[in-house]
Amino acid sequence: MEYKTNLKHQEMKILSWYALSVRSGYEDLVKSIILRNLKEPLVNVLVPKKTVPEKRKGNFEWVTRKLFPGYILINTEMDAKLYYKLKEIPNCYNFLNKFQDDNNIYFLEIPDQEITPIVQLLNEKGTIECSKAYLEDSTVKIKSGPLRGREGIIKKIDKRKKRAKLLLNFLGDTKMIDVGIEVLYK
């Protein structure tokens, strides 16, 4: 999935990804406020989510959960003007990897090698859907879904809970993330 902007500029600008810390549970609200109130043509906002199974009353139900609770991802050309506009939005705390000296504010973008695998797993709605897999001789073979061709990031499969644990790098940390998976039997 590629995030495209509605550029009105003649030249193509390179956009970078940034992580914004927000009040947990308010990610979608903050996203809608940013999209509604900012007239910046170079802003894309993403609240990455995942579809996972949860057992309720003995039955599995597929639910959507946030991938990184308390964070939203912004794809933009960051500057101090945009930073201060975002800081005025209720429930926005701060940018991760931001630092400042006496005169300037510096924003460190999320490196491409960290954000690309995450964005590639997401569908057009920003959600990691369930994948379908076979287990053959202790080897995972993904039949369909976002994990197809990305078996290397799968570190563990819990057939009973219908979840796969993925190892992803995010903001300089290695994170273990659960996603939904259906193990099929031949």
Side-chain angles (χ1 to χ4, degrees):
M1 169 174 61
E2 290 183 26
Y3 279 84
K4 298 180 179 150
T5 61
N6 52 351
L7 290 177
K8 296 177 185 171
H9 300 47
Q10 294 288 27
E11 60 189 71
M12 184 69 150
K13 301 224 179 197
I14 303 288
L15 303 180
S16 299
W17 286 96
Y18 300 90
L20 177 62
S21 175
V22 299
R23 185 174 176 187
S24 191
Y26 288 77
E27 298 89 349
D28 290 318
L29 177 63
V30 170
K31 175 185 174 180
S32 67
I33 292 170
I34 290 171
L35 293 174
R36 186 176 62 238
N37 293 343
L38 289 181
K39 302 301 180 211
E40 304 292 326
L42 300 176
V43 176
N44 287 305
V45 184
L46 179 61
V47 179
K49 297 178 182 175
K50 60 186 177 179
T51 301
V52 292
E54 289 186 359
K55 201 168 192 176
R56 294 186 181 149
K57 298 181 182 177
N59 296 317
F60 279 103
E61 292 180 18
W62 292 89
V63 296
T64 302
R65 298 280 181 232
K66 291 175 184 74
L67 194 60
F68 305 114
Y71 299 102
I72 61 175
L73 304 178
I74 299 179
N75 188 227
T76 189
E77 183 181 13
M78 183 56 66
D79 60 16
K81 180 181 165 188
L82 180 57
Y83 168 75
Y84 286 113
K85 284 182 183 178
L86 291 168
K87 286 285 288 176
E88 292 175 5
I89 294 173
N91 302 305
C92 281
Y93 295 139
N94 219 334
F95 278 89
L96 300 176
N97 294 337
K98 174 199 77 116
F99 60 95
Q100 72 187 89
D101 60 20
D102 294 336
N103 301 320
N104 298 307
I105 299 174
Y106 301 95
F107 306 95
L108 297 179
E109 63 202 44
I110 300 171
D112 284 341
Q113 66 268 20
E114 290 184 4
I115 195 67
T116 300
I118 295 168
V119 172
Q120 287 175 343
L121 291 170
L122 301 172
N123 65 14
E124 60 281 345
K125 294 179 183 177
T127 303
I128 300 175
E129 293 292 335
C130 175
S131 292
K132 295 183 181 192
Y134 290 106
L135 292 178
E136 295 176 1
D137 302 325
S138 300
T139 305
V140 179
K141 304 281 186 194
I142 303 295
K143 180 182 176 189
S144 65
L147 295 176
R148 188 169 186 193
R150 296 180 182 91
E151 289 86 353
I153 64 173
I154 300 172
K155 295 304 169 196
K156 184 179 178 184
I157 295 211
D158 187 334
K159 291 186 284 187
R160 186 178 60 80
K161 290 185 178 180
K162 299 182 181 185
R163 294 189 183 211
K165 293 194 179 288
L166 310 181
L167 194 60
L168 295 172
N169 292 321
F170 184 65
L171 298 172
D173 248 351
T174 302
K175 305 249 185 223
M176 192 73 78
I177 297 175
D178 284 0
V179 297
I181 195 164
E182 282 189 64
V183 178
L184 306 172
Y185 298 95
K186 291 184 178 182

